[in-house]
């Protein structure tokens, strides 16, 4: 439900509404606007209806949200959200790029990656320290040591760090080190983990599951916002189809669908979406043309030696080339991409 406050209602009125909403068994999510304040009230659908609130002198109207996802929907917030992600605006005119290796492997590897990522004009360094690998025998990540190396790379370059959290008990450790918590495709419907990151106030890069419909994906995102964490970036990273020429099928339909259905920014990951480095630049350009707010790209100083996802990782020169080729596409659709750092 959306509770629309009357024009000129006070902070005290808002408090009264929040208290009443809570008493009725819902969670209040206020958005204080310049013109008007609204309160999203979400909770179990079998609770007492909220229409009685219309009797309160400060309430203009109580409107149902018809979509199965509520706080993420455009019904709740019609205008696109421009989110402050560790000091970087995401969802505005400027595109954001998150790049780096699949996994943090060594000090030399992550510092070289960070230097190349920063030099090409990206704002975020990605790199997994906790890896959700398909096989238990594959490299699982450097864990805490990996996080420390990412922190060193951040200090050296000023890049913000995006890194994955795979379990609820690791959330406090990741909060200490990361600027953005990544939830990977394999955990897209791990509701306990979603609720745990929802309890933090760290920005979340939330990847779509490999077999998750958009409707299921948005209901999963709702778990994060429902806990009060509204800084959520959606990420299309490819879905499973019958096609075997590529690792996944990058669902670019999802970009305009997500932009229509939600106010949250949309990032596209063409690295996992294709699985092959030579396909990544074309799909990065296509993603930007389709309206993505940013890209996540795997880049490794030496892809042939990568401990994970080498075949889909670009070397530093190819990454720089990708950035160069995306720039005119960004401009053609009214967006901008930061230029390379002056040497
Ligand atoms: C990753 O970003 O390296 C990763 C594991 O991605 P996904 O969860 O999309 O497979
Ligand atoms: Mn990867």
């Amino acid at each position: 439900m959306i509770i629309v406050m009357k024009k000129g209602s006070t902070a005290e009125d808002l408090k009264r509404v929040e208290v009443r909403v809570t008493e009725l068994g819902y969670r209040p999510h206020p958005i204080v606007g310049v013109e008007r304040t609204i309160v999203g009230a979400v909770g179990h659908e079998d609770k007492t209806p909220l229409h009685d609130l219309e009797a309160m002198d400060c309430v203009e109207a109580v409107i149902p949200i018809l979509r199965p996802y509520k706080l993420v929907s455009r019904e709740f917030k019609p205008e696109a959200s421009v989110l402050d992600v560790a000091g970087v605006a995401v969802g505005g005119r400027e595109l954001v790029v998150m790049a780096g290796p699949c996994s943090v492997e060594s000090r030399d590897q992550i510092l070289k990656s960070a230097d190349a990522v920063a030099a090409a004009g990206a704002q975020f360094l990605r790199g997994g320290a906790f890896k959700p690998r398909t096989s238990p025998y594959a490299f699982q990540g450097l864990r805490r040591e990996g996080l420390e190396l990412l922190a060193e790379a951040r200090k050296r370059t000023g890049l913000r760090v995006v890194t994955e959290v795979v379990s609820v008990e690791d959330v406090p450790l990741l909060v200490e080190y990361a600027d953005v918590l990544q939830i990977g495709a394999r955990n897209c419907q791990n509701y306990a983990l979603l609720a745990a990151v929802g309890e933090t106030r760290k920005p979340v890069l939330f990847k779509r599951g490999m077999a998750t419909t958009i409707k299921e994906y948005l209901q999963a995102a709702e778990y994060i916002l429902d806990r009060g964490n509204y800084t959520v970036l959606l990420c299309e990273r490819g879905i499973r189809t019958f096609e075997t020429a590529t690792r996944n099928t990058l669902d670019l339909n999802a970009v305009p669908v997500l932009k229509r259905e939600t106010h949250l920014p949309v990032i596209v990951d063409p690295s996992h979406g294709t699985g092959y480095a030579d396909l990544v630049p074309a799909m990065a350009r296509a993603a930007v043309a389709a309206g993505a707010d940013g890209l996540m790209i795997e880049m490794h100083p030496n892809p042939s030696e990568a401990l994970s996802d080498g075949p889909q990782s670009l070397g530093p020169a190819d990454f720089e080339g990708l950035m160069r080729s995306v720039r005119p596409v960004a401009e053609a659709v009214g967006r901008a991409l930061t230029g390379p750092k002056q040497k």
Side-chain angles (χ1 to χ4, degrees), residues 192-337:
L193 184 59
L194 299 178
V197 300
E199 292 291 344
T200 77
R201 293 299 173 262
K202 275 280 168 191
V204 178
L205 178 89
F206 179 42
K207 290 185 140 192
R208 180 180 179 186
M210 53 195 88
T212 316
T213 65
I214 291 173
K215 190 170 159 188
E216 289 163 344
Y217 179 36
L218 292 180
Q219 288 177 93
E222 192 74 14
Y223 275 82
I224 308 174
L225 279 85
D226 178 45
R227 298 299 175 117
N229 188 349
Y230 306 119
T231 311
V232 175
L233 313 178
L234 300 172
C235 180
E236 165 59 41
R237 50 75 73 201
I239 52 174
R240 276 278 163 85
T241 69
F242 56 81
E243 183 55 71
T244 54
T246 48
R247 180 179 178 184
N248 289 296
T249 296
L250 186 64
D251 180 14
L252 287 185
N253 289 348
V255 178
V257 173
L258 291 171
K259 299 298 285 182
R260 184 187 69 203
E261 293 297 311
T262 90
H263 54 86
L264 298 173
V266 177
I267 308 296
V268 171
D269 170 356
S271 305
H272 294 86
T274 62
Y276 296 96
D278 64 315
L279 306 178
V280 170
M283 296 314 284
R285 293 191 293 273
V288 169
D293 298 295
L295 297 168
M296 172 169 263
I297 307 288
E298 284 190 339
M299 191 241 103
H300 192 285
N302 194 348
S304 62
E305 285 177 12
L307 296 181
S308 60
D309 287 350
Q312 67 193 35
S313 299
L314 299 174
D318 287 336
F319 174 63
E320 216 253 299
L322 175 148
M323 292 288 279
R324 237 181 305 119
S325 81
V326 167
R327 224 161 263 127
V329 178
E331 276 158 30
V333 294
R335 310 296 287 268
L337 185 65

Side-chain angles (χ1 to χ4, degrees), residues 100-105 109 126-144 146-147 150 162-167 170 174 182 184-187 207 237 247 269 272 296 298 307-310 312-313:
C102 181
S103 307
V104 181
E105 298 168 1
Q109 175 247 17
R126 62 144 289 145
F130 290 80
K131 295 302 299 178
R133 301 306 299 281
T134 301
S135 162
Y137 309 120
F139 176 59
Q140 303 287 310
L142 296 181
R143 311 176 83 85
R144 183 186 280 270
L147 296 177
L150 285 166
V162 185
T163 193
E164 182 164 353
V165 56
V166 296
S167 67
D170 295 333
L174 271 288
Q182 177 172 323
R186 288 158 191 78
N187 278 312
K207 290 185 140 192
R237 50 75 73 201
R247 180 179 178 184
D269 170 356
H272 294 86
M296 172 169 263
E298 284 190 339
L307 296 181
S308 60
D309 287 350
Q312 67 193 35
S313 299

Side-chain angles (χ1 to χ4, degrees), residues 107-118:
R107 182 167 184 271
D108 183 59
Q109 175 247 17
I110 197 65
L111 296 185
K112 276 192 180 138
S113 302
D115 287 348
V117 166

Side-chain angles (χ1 to χ4, degrees), residues 51-112:
H51 287 291
D52 291 0
L53 265 80
E54 273 176 353
M56 289 177 83
D57 54 0
C58 57
V59 171
E60 174 85 44
V62 179
I63 305 164
I65 303 176
L66 300 174
R67 295 282 197 275
Y69 32 89
K70 312 288 178 191
L71 302 171
V72 306
S73 77
R74 289 254 183 188
E75 279 183 87
F76 176 58
K77 185 169 180 289
E79 70 282 5
S81 290
V82 180
L83 300 177
D84 176 349
V85 181
V88 177
V90 184
R93 196 176 117 77
E94 187 87 24
L95 298 177
V96 294
V97 178
M98 309 171 162
C102 181
S103 307
V104 181
E105 298 168 1
S106 68
R107 182 167 184 271
D108 183 59
Q109 175 247 17
I110 197 65
L111 296 185
K112 276 192 180 138

